[in-house]
């Protein structure tokens, strides 16, 4: 079992991020949420550059502590962003060595929240996943109902081995026999 933490940006403060990284999480999640142009209306206090800096510094601090970490971020679509802006966000996340990306549909929680501009088709989510993987993300979840914690246990380092073990059986002598596909 791995540990994933979802954190705020700590207003850019170094000490709280160092404290989190000293605890040795397997995955550090801090969400970019949306494209650069929509940051202010979507994220009142957070900032694009600060978010990217948090993800980048998390890797540095983890390496200093001798505990490598995978970083993860999430983007919502449906707020009026363009595909070109989404590509810019993917590239910006990869430039700070973000490993895992989740992309989901924005769903307006109430009339007091930003309006939904459009729904994306599942094929568009599939296209974004292919693009993001092509840029070097290790893992991408992309779909209308995807949220930052979607299938989180499959994103933790070593998840492939644990998944295979869950699907395997043991023979009479205790040897692992892979499950039939």
């Amino acid at each position: 079992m791995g540990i994933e933490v979802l954190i705020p940006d700590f207003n850019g403060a170094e000490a709280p991020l160092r404290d989190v990284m000293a605890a040795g999480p397997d995955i550090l999640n801090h969400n970019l949420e949306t494209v650069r142009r929509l940051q202010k209306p979507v994220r009142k206090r957070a900032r694009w550059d600060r978010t990217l800096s948090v993800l980048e510094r998390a890797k540095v601090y983890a390496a200093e502590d001798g505990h490598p970490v995978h970083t993860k971020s999430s983007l919502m679509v449906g707020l009026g962003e363009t595909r070109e802006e989404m590509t810019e966000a993917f590239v910006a996340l990869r430039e700070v060595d973000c490993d895992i990306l989740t992309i989901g549909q924005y769903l307006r929680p109430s009339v007091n929240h930003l309006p939904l501009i459009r729904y994306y088709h599942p094929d568009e989510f599939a296209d974004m996943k292919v693009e993001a993987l092509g840029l070097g993300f290790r893992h991408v979840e992309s779909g209308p109902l995807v949220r930052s914690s979607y299938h989180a246990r499959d994103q933790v380092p070593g998840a492939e081995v644990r998944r295979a073990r869950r699907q395997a059986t043991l023979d009479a002598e205790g040897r692992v026999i892979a499950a039939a596909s």
Side-chain angles (χ1 to χ4, degrees):
M1 185 73 62
I3 302 295
E4 175 178 333
V5 293
L6 173 61
I7 64 164
D9 66 12
F10 302 117
N11 293 316
E14 179 180 340
L17 181 58
R18 281 195 179 276
D19 288 344
V20 169
M21 299 320 299
D26 297 294
I27 298 176
L28 183 285
N29 184 351
H30 180 59
N31 294 329
L32 190 55
E33 301 287 0
T34 190
V35 299
R36 183 189 298 262
R37 176 177 57 85
L38 296 173
Q39 287 289 308
K40 262 236 183 347
V42 172
R43 306 172 77 206
K44 303 288 186 229
R45 293 179 46 212
R47 300 290 173 264
W48 171 276
D49 292 332
R50 192 162 61 203
T51 292
L52 294 172
S53 175
V54 165
L55 293 165
E56 185 172 45
R57 288 183 296 132
K59 290 253 182 171
V60 171
Y61 299 163
E64 288 173 1
D65 290 338
H67 182 81
V69 70
H70 291 279
T71 52
K72 175 179 176 180
S73 197
S74 207
L75 293 162
M76 299 180 291
V77 295
L79 291 162
E81 66 288 323
T82 66
R83 285 291 284 118
E84 293 78 17
E85 290 174 313
M86 289 298 290
T87 297
E88 176 191 21
F90 298 166
V91 169
L93 287 166
R94 285 302 301 138
E95 285 175 348
V96 296
D97 199 24
C98 184
D99 303 292
I100 302 166
L101 177 64
T102 59
I103 308 165
Q105 176 69 54
Y106 170 70
L107 300 172
R108 188 179 193 185
S110 77
V111 296
N112 298 322
H113 290 82
L114 293 171
L116 171 70
I117 303 302
R118 81 174 186 94
Y119 286 104
Y120 278 63
H121 189 277
D123 292 345
E124 293 175 283
F125 283 102
D127 291 344
M128 287 186 281
K129 178 175 183 168
V130 168
E131 178 185 356
L133 287 169
L135 290 170
F137 285 97
R138 291 175 185 240
H139 189 94
V140 177
E141 294 287 349
S142 181
L145 300 179
V146 169
R147 297 296 177 257
S148 66
S149 60
Y150 191 82
H151 290 170
R153 82 174 186 183
D154 295 334
Q155 300 163 17
V156 175
E160 300 81 17
V161 172
R162 285 190 298 281
R163 186 173 31 257
R165 285 184 186 143
R166 284 194 305 270
Q167 297 170 348
T169 58
L170 298 178
D171 68 10
E173 295 174 16
R175 292 182 297 234
V176 175
I177 301 170
S181 315

